[in-house]
Amino acid sequence: MTRCIPVDPCAPALDALQEAAECLKSGGLVAFPTETVYGLGGNALDGRAVQRIFEAKGRPATDPLIVHLPAVEALPMVVKSIPDVVSTLAEHFWPGPLTLILPRGEKVPLSVTAGLDTVAVRVPSHPVAQALLRVSGLAIAAPSANRFGGVSPTTAGHVLRDLEGRIDMVLDGGATPIGVESTVLDISTAVPRILRPGGVSREALEAVLGPVDLLERKASQEEAQASPGLLEKHYAPHHARLILVEIPQNEGLQEAFAHLVTQAEQSGARVGALIADEDLAWLETQFPAMARLALGSLNDPGTVARNLYAGMRAMDEAGMDVILVRDFGTAGLGLAIRDRLYRAASQIVRHIAQNGA
Ligand code: AMP
Ligand code: MG
């Protein structure tokens, strides 16, 4: 049984926190809201708790976990040494959705880091995550609270759908405010490098650090179409095939949607669309009967990010076979949104097929 305890997201009650803290201290697993997505927490310095996290998620042991701390001052609990740039980054971005790769401290089990000599560390800002870290006094290892490879959870309901019976407790603090995972930053190179775009934008990092590189993960469209397995599958819906339509001009987008809808419907597939507020009018005219969900305005990637995963889950649960998703650009959180869509997509469409095939 998994207990679900409602908490005030701004001021969680102490008794709920104490109960969750006791659970963590005795090796249990507690899911809790962070500002990004719900985390599946266990004591990072307890090898058995860490093992249970991997088992509950079905996560391969080769995928390292992020360790959460209450403040930069707690870093010595889990890291061996602290590079100079950390204080600047902490001052600007902690608490917040930035994960730093740092030299692993001796007390951190190798299972946390998948055998690496580095450890990923973050100081979350969500009041429930903060309070849980402070009340427990623990370093908490917490990947997203979903089954491996699926869509990350942004509500306690999402967590329960994936992990009911596999974890001890969920603190239900409502929907998470950012909605995509943290930015993972490698500061060991001369030019810092984003390993995973996320809640802190590249622009915000560059305003503090100067130029920041981005690790390109995506396979090319040709590779992806030749073998969808080449795209690292992650964040994907259970049932539906997600098709990302990456066509910048609005007219091209409408044509591409028309082409893809016809193609899908010919094979009897149910099609839904995840779109921008700006698309509602033409979609209503062109496809009045199609299931659609507007994630937010093109000018507001923050709102789109907040609604993205719930939108993907809703389409999947409504029984769609194909989800068409429009591209949202790369400004601000757009980069993180595009990264998740690349990984979730079975197909990326950048031009309309000439022969109608
Ligand atoms: P998640 O916990 O699902 O948000 O994913 C954590 C991600 O952080 C991993 O999948 C890695 O991509 C990254 N990560 C964690 N630890 C390290 C590390 N020591 N070095 C590089 N990347 C890491
Ligand atoms: Mg995850």
Side-chain angles (χ1 to χ4, degrees), residues 59 63-64 101 184 193-197 214-220 223-224 229-235 335 338-340 342-343 348 350:
R59 180 169 171 127
D63 197 351
I101 307 301
V184 179
R193 191 168 56 142
I194 294 173
L195 302 181
R196 175 181 74 184
L214 174 69
L215 177 70
E216 295 281 351
R217 273 174 185 271
K218 63 183 167 65
S220 73
E223 284 171 328
L230 277 180
L231 278 182
E232 192 190 355
K233 263 290 189 209
H234 218 82
Y235 310 101
L335 198 61
R338 184 180 279 186
D339 172 77
R340 304 311 185 268
Y342 275 163
R343 298 204 224 178
I348 300 170
R350 294 201 178 88

Side-chain angles (χ1 to χ4, degrees), residues 191-215:
V191 177
R193 191 168 56 142
I194 294 173
L195 302 181
R196 175 181 74 184
V200 171
S201 69
R202 184 182 195 173
E203 294 90 325
L205 287 171
E206 289 192 326
V208 171
L209 295 175
V212 171
D213 283 341
L214 174 69
L215 177 70

Side-chain angles (χ1 to χ4, degrees), residues 81-154:
S81 56
I82 304 176
D84 290 341
V85 69
V86 170
S87 60
T88 308
L89 285 166
E91 201 176 299
H92 284 87
F93 301 109
W94 278 356
L98 177 66
T99 295
L100 298 178
I101 307 301
L102 297 169
R104 179 179 63 86
E106 276 166 18
K107 287 196 205 133
V108 178
L110 281 166
S111 53
V112 169
T113 67
L116 295 170
D117 259 341
T118 52
V119 59
V121 184
R122 147 163 130 84
V123 174
S125 64
H126 194 292
V128 175
Q130 267 291 322
L132 185 60
L133 286 159
R134 287 177 191 275
V135 169
S136 68
L138 298 173
I140 300 179
S144 53
N146 56 289
R147 296 281 287 173
F148 179 73
V151 177
S152 294
T154 55

Side-chain angles (χ1 to χ4, degrees), residues 15-30:
D15 55 349
L17 293 166
Q18 280 169 339
E19 209 177 318
E22 285 313 314
C23 180
L24 289 170
K25 283 191 221 171
S26 61
L29 301 184
V30 177

